[in-house]
Structures are given as C-alpha cells and as structure tokens.
Amino acid sequence: AQSVTQLDSQVPVFEEAPVELRCNYSSSVSVYLFWYVQYPNQGLQLLLKYLSGSTLVKGINGFEAEFNKSQTSFHLRKPSVHISDTAEYFCAVSTPGGSYIPTFGRGTSLIVHP
Amino acid sequence: EAGVAQSPRYKIIEKRQSVAFWCNPISGHATLYWYQQILGQGPKLLIQFQNNGVVDDSQLPKDRFSAERLKGVDSTLKIQPAKLEDSAVYLCASSQNRNRGQSIQYFGAGTRLSVL
C-alpha cells in the first residue's frame, strides 16, 4: 500500500517570494504522483502530474515539481508567489495496476502575505 | 465542457437524520468517485464506480452509508442515520477510465455537511 506525507501543515510566505511545499511518498512499486490545489469552498484542481519520463514536471499557474526516486519525494515549487496562490495544496500518489485509487496527503496550507 | 456538478452545496442536519447527496459527472466519464474530506485532512475515498458497477467500496461504512449509480451516469450518496463524526465535505470526482492510472480526476465543488 502506498502512503503520502506532507511535512508542513502550514507554510506562510510573503508575496513574490519563492516557495517549496514538501511531499514524500512510500510505495513498493512504481508510482504516479499528483499535486492538487483547493481554493476555499471549491473542489480540488489538478496542478501537475508525474507519470513517467522527465523528472521535472511543469504545471499550471507557474508551479513545478521534481520527482526524486532516491529520496521518494515530489516537492512542489514556485519561484514567485502571488496573493491568489493562497490555498490548500494536496499531494497524491497512485500505482499502476490494481484500482489506481489515489492516496492523498493531509494537505499544506499556503498563506501568502502582502 | 461542463464540470462535475454536485448538490446541495451545504446541508445541516441533526444526528440520526438521513441525508442524500447528488453528483453528475463530466459527460462520457466512466469512472465516478465519492470522497469524504474531514476538516484538516486530505480526501479519503469512500466508493468508486466504473459505469454502474462498484469497483471499490472497502472504506465505505456500509452500516450507514450507501451509494448508487444506477444508469452509469449520475450518482447518489446517502447517509442514514447520520452521526456527528460524519460532518465533512463530500467530494465527487470523475475520470475517463480507471484502467489508466494517469487518467485525471476532475472534482466537483463538494457538499459541506454539518451534523448537529
């Protein structure tokens, strides 16, 4: 069974500063990795995904993430954040085969201050 | 294309009452998921449908929760009777095909349930 750990429950940052949201996973087989964003009172929206190939994945809204197999990590980064990036961010993992049910982390609340 | 539709957006009930949530997935999406998201936690899968059949309901509390997708399109999730710990946001998601792990899930806005 796979699991996901999001190491930070809350990350405060000032506008235009860079940010990194950390995600580590555990799985005995190869994985698919996802980052979702959830704005207040809304459902989850996919930011980016890693399925195979290049370990650096670029997503929407200027976010990117790097798959590191040796460290079992998939950290999310943005070089310069905006107030509008304030939201909850969820890392998720699923595995090929089986029922592909994704396992979500507990989420990281990104708070961007002016 | 229209997104995943859910209703109602909010529901407040007393414990031991029953409640139902409705979800209409994106047209053509064969796979439908119901998640429970308790405050401060990530979504937890309750049940997964492929067309009108149940693929996985291992985490559904079957003594009080039920779900159906009779015609393989829209779906209803019911709780009867509700408990205080059922207070959560219930998210519906759909994807094109469960047999492709990279199939992206699209989420609805959710139904926020408060059990008093």
Side-chain angles (χ1 to χ4, degrees):
Chain A
Q2 68 263 24
S3 65
V4 175
T5 301
Q6 290 185 246
L7 297 166
D8 305 298
S9 60
Q10 203 172 80
V11 173
V13 64
F14 287 106
E15 195 173 19
E16 298 183 5
V19 70
E20 179 181 82
L21 305 183
R22 297 180 292 170
C23 172
N24 286 85
Y25 69 90
S26 172
S27 174
S28 58
V29 298
S30 59
V31 296
Y32 297 144
L33 294 158
F34 307 83
W35 274 100
Y36 286 86
V37 60
Q38 186 176 33
Y39 298 104
N41 299 315
Q42 295 187 27
L44 279 70
Q45 179 185 2
L46 183 69
L47 273 178
L48 48 80
K49 63 184 185 292
Y50 170 79
L51 306 177
S52 64
S54 173
T55 58
L56 183 62
V57 180
K58 293 189 182 299
I60 62 172
N61 301 341
F63 284 94
E64 64 180 32
E66 187 158 17
F67 170 57
N68 188 319
K69 188 175 181 179
S70 62
Q71 296 187 6
T72 61
S73 67
F74 190 56
H75 300 333
L76 181 70
R77 302 185 183 98
K78 187 170 182 178
S80 175
V81 294
H82 301 287
I83 295 287
S84 59
D85 292 323
T86 295
E88 195 80 15
Y89 291 79
F90 293 94
C91 182
V93 61
S94 69
T95 57
S99 58
Y100 298 105
I101 297 172
T103 299
F104 286 86
R106 296 176 64 90
T108 297
S109 179
L110 176 62
I111 303 169
V112 181
H113 298 287
Chain B
E1 97 191 325
V4 177
Q6 288 189 249
S7 67
R9 287 298 311 275
Y10 306 92
K11 189 74 177 178
I12 301 174
I13 62 172
E14 294 187 351
K15 60 183 179 182
R16 292 189 289 274
Q17 286 187 322
S18 63
V19 65
F21 314 125
W22 176 80
C23 171
N24 194 25
I26 293 173
S27 177
H29 280 193
T31 311
L32 185 148
Y33 312 78
W34 282 103
Y35 289 87
Q36 180 192 59
Q37 186 180 16
I38 292 173
L39 186 65
Q41 299 183 20
K44 183 188 81 171
L45 184 76
L46 291 175
I47 188 167
Q48 178 185 8
F49 291 95
Q50 178 74 4
N51 297 310
N52 62 348
V54 175
V55 173
D56 189 313
D57 63 357
S58 57
Q59 299 192 78
L60 187 74
K62 298 181 187 62
D63 58 333
R64 299 184 299 106
F65 287 64
S66 64
E68 59 183 18
R69 193 185 184 200
L70 294 175
K71 297 182 180 179
V73 180
D74 58 344
S75 175
T76 303
L77 176 69
K78 296 179 182 177
I79 308 175
Q80 182 179 10
K83 292 185 175 181
L84 296 176
E85 58 262 36
D86 297 332
S87 293
V89 176
Y90 291 85
L91 295 167
C92 179
S94 69
S95 65
Q96 284 189 320
N97 187 335
R98 81 167 184 95
N99 289 322
R100 296 168 58 193
Q102 62 267 39
S103 190
I104 296 170
Q105 293 190 11
Y106 295 85
F107 284 80
T111 296
R112 184 177 298 276
L113 174 67
S114 296
V115 182
L116 307 178

